[in-house]
Amino acid sequence: MRDVSIVGTGTTEFGVLDGGVKDLGSRAVARALRDAGVERPDVGALYVGNFVAGILEGQGAVGPIVADEVGLSGAPAMTTEGACASSGIALRQAQRAVASGEYDVVVAAGVESMTDAETPEFTRALGSAADRLTEGVTGLTFPGFYGIYLDRYMHEYGATREEVAAVSVKNRANGAKNPRARFREPVTTEEVVESRLVADPLRLYDCCPAADGASAVVLAASDLAGEFTDDPVEVLGTGHATGHNAAHRYADLTTLDATVDAAESAYAEAGIGPSDVDVVELHDCFTPAEIGDSEDLGFFEKGEGARAVAEGRTEVGGEVPINPSGGLLSKGHPVGATGIGQVYEVCRQLRGDHENQVEDAEVGLAHNLGGSGAVCTVTVLGRGDRR
Amino acid sequence: MSADEGVPEFPARVCVDCGTLYGHEPSVCRECGAETFETERLPGSARLYASTTIRVPGSDHQGQEPFVVGLVDVGNAVRVTARIEGIDAGDPDARPAPDSPLEYVGKRDGTFYFRPA
């Protein structure tokens, strides 16, 4: 297996944007190609993560549609779909395709367009990631999944609503400085715990907003990276695991096995452990998700994540900076784009030009989760000159 | 007098080949791959693992909100996702706490219903 590096990145803002998935995806891919200085004939393949375009926009074949639009006809293009982890999967497949020697240069992208839909419509579309026959019929939504999760988490570990709200307070403060974020106003603990109930005990400011957006990266074999950039980011390791297709499938809902397993794979491939990670972008679709993820990724013991965030240990200057981008809670969650959007933010950290820069960040981690913890990808990235 | 008197039995499914019990109808047996199941009736006493009140439903369930969905352990045998009824769903303080006792009510439109015991 060859070492693989990211040699170009491109993104749109995340927010309420004009255009559908063809427009947004094509812009992100074109920007990444321009950043890398890659000629189109040199692109071996294109992987595009997308989840709900078929449901909300009536647009299928997103990978090939985007490929032709950006001048990549001829190259194999495909859509990867794993709910909200769709583009984490795209990156993982792209890395494998280069590492195997099949291609020297591959583009991985993610795209979603959601804000034209009314809330009940996109709530239904996102709910399609849960097993329709056992859970969809009950009316359980994704905020509802994390409402149940939080109900049990607080019961098991004694976490308080105020501690959990600290996730939103931290991430919204970070997002205030990120020009790519949909929400750029900070919130207080009081505003979170007094916002209206969505899926008890989850409240509105515990929930990430929907968004439109697209992100892309160009990957190349590391020994060719110097042809494209002086500042490559190494893909040190990736993991991709399957968890459970419904909430009732977990014996312990407060541990999402897919995250544990994907992290174990990614850490092993990178040859590092959680204590070596300098900056983290993880899947904070809801406040309790960030708390559980921070434990399942190995940064804190189970049951300590809520206290850790309330104590400031995950702020930009803390021991484990988590979501300095503002996370999904601030950036918004254009579901198919989120995974590579996270990778984009980590690349900026490792290149030293992030708006919320973590000092001397050399190793970063991106964690992307889909469905009821049904699918997870973890990507470990390293600054090109760290060795 | 049985604690379960008057409580309907819960219709679990059991793999005819290996005996694995399921709460929801399986597509195939996760343990042995078999495709044939029979109903095995369990006492309808149950326990709530955790729950939520859905106040912003998807378009398929609009108009039903607020409603409570929970994970329910039937006996110590199976866990299912179900609706919880018999409480004031609009009252945040009325939702039963994790580990509260429940009893089976029945199945309507593909969904299991339980209520506080």
Side-chain angles (χ1 to χ4, degrees):
Chain A
M1 297 282 270
R2 298 191 294 178
D3 289 338
V4 178
S5 293
I6 293 173
V7 298
T9 65
T11 194
T12 66
E13 295 173 14
F14 284 9
V16 180
L17 306 179
D18 291 333
V21 291
K22 183 185 81 169
D23 305 311
L24 301 177
S26 299
R27 284 176 208 149
V29 171
R31 289 172 193 179
L33 291 172
R34 196 179 316 131
D35 185 51
V38 172
E39 299 297 326
R40 281 160 173 65
D42 293 335
V43 174
L46 172 68
Y47 295 83
V48 181
N50 177 262
F51 175 20
V52 292
I55 301 171
L56 293 182
E57 200 180 322
Q59 179 64 66
V62 175
I65 295 274
V66 168
D68 184 44
E69 196 70 7
V70 296
L72 292 176
S73 61
M78 64 222 82
T79 313
T80 57
E81 195 270 306
C84 304
S86 292
S87 62
I89 296 169
L91 183 87
R92 157 84 173 183
Q93 293 302 312
Q95 178 225 11
R96 261 35 200 172
V98 175
S100 71
E102 181 73 20
Y103 307 111
D104 289 334
V105 177
V106 167
V107 178
V111 60
E112 209 69 73
S113 176
M114 305 166 71
T115 66
D116 284 345
E118 299 295 327
T119 297
E121 300 307 322
F122 75 69
T123 299
R124 174 181 179 272
L126 299 181
S128 72
D131 179 18
R132 186 174 58 82
L133 294 175
T134 62
E135 255 173 23
V137 292
T138 68
L140 185 65
T141 60
F142 270 98
F145 177 88
Y146 278 101
I148 294 176
Y149 181 105
L150 180 57
D151 191 42
R152 189 69 197 185
Y153 188 96
M154 292 195 299
H155 178 76
E156 293 257 348
Y157 307 112
T160 67
R161 265 301 351 212
E162 286 72 18
E163 287 173 332
V164 175
V167 173
S168 193
V169 174
K170 168 182 67 74
N171 290 356
R172 291 287 292 270
N174 288 342
K177 296 183 199 163
N178 185 344
R180 296 171 295 285
R182 175 169 184 182
F183 284 170
R184 302 199 53 202
E185 297 291 323
V187 295
T188 65
T189 302
E190 292 68 32
E191 286 172 319
V192 178
V193 301
E194 289 169 10
S195 60
R196 73 181 162 86
L197 286 161
V198 170
D200 310 21
L202 270 194
R203 293 172 180 271
L204 184 63
Y205 288 175
D206 291 305
C207 306
C208 69
D212 312 316
S215 298
V217 293
V218 180
L219 296 97
S222 292
D223 56 8
L224 302 174
E227 295 180 19
F228 305 108
T229 180
D230 297 329
D231 206 6
V233 170
E234 276 190 73
V235 182
L236 300 177
T238 62
H240 175 188
T242 299
H244 298 302
N245 62 19
H248 60 81
R249 288 274 302 125
Y250 292 84
D252 171 12
L253 185 65
T254 65
T255 297
L256 298 188
D257 308 311
T259 294
V260 174
D261 292 344
E264 185 179 308
S265 299
Y267 288 139
E269 186 168 273
I272 67 159
S275 64
D276 299 309
V277 176
D278 301 314
V279 59
V280 180
E281 290 288 333
L282 59 68
H283 201 95
D284 60 326
C285 45
F286 303 94
T287 50
E290 173 162 321
I291 290 165
D293 296 342
S294 73
E295 298 163 347
D296 296 343
L297 291 167
F299 301 122
F300 302 107
E301 294 295 315
K302 185 51 68 180
E304 288 186 359
R307 197 174 316 118
V309 65
E311 291 173 353
R313 294 162 70 187
T314 59
E315 292 174 1
V316 172
E319 67 191 77
V320 189
I322 292 179
N323 289 329
S325 72
L328 284 56
L329 286 164
S330 294
K331 286 188 74 184
H333 187 20
V335 288
T338 286
I340 291 187
Q342 295 171 314
V343 167
Y344 177 90
E345 300 288 338
V346 173
C347 286
R348 287 190 71 135
Q349 288 283 352
L350 300 178
R351 288 169 161 176
D353 70 346
H354 200 277
E355 293 82 356
N356 288 311
Q357 182 64 44
V358 172
E359 203 174 332
D360 297 328
E362 293 193 346
V363 175
L365 180 146
H367 161 263
N368 193 198
L369 188 77
S372 312
V375 50
C376 180
T377 64
V378 172
T379 307
V380 179
L381 302 172
R383 205 163 74 193
D385 63 355
R386 60 183 280 279
R387 281 173 178 158
Chain B
M1 179 172 128
S2 159
D4 284 346
E5 193 169 311
V7 176
E9 291 178 314
F10 179 85
R13 299 288 278 167
V14 60
C15 173
V16 299
D17 283 6
C18 76
T20 300
L21 265 181
Y22 294 90
H24 293 284
E25 183 73 29
S27 303
V28 297
C29 180
R30 196 171 268 114
E31 300 300 324
C32 75
E35 300 177 19
T36 309
F37 302 89
E38 291 175 343
T39 296
E40 180 164 318
R41 299 201 171 271
L42 304 177
S45 60
R47 199 168 63 133
L48 181 65
Y49 178 75
S51 68
T52 185
T53 303
I54 303 294
R55 297 176 191 273
V56 183
S59 52
D60 291 344
H61 298 89
Q62 258 185 307
Q64 299 175 16
E65 72 275 17
F67 55 87
V68 176
V69 177
L71 302 181
V72 178
D73 294 328
V74 183
N76 288 317
V78 296
R79 176 171 293 169
V80 294
T81 306
R83 289 274 188 110
I84 314 298
E85 62 180 18
I87 52 173
D88 176 4
D91 178 359
D93 298 324
R95 192 168 48 86
D99 296 337
S100 296
L102 303 175
E103 60 188 33
Y104 183 57
V105 176
K107 189 173 187 179
R108 302 195 293 273
D109 300 327
T111 296
F112 296 119
Y113 284 77
F114 290 81
R115 68 184 172 209

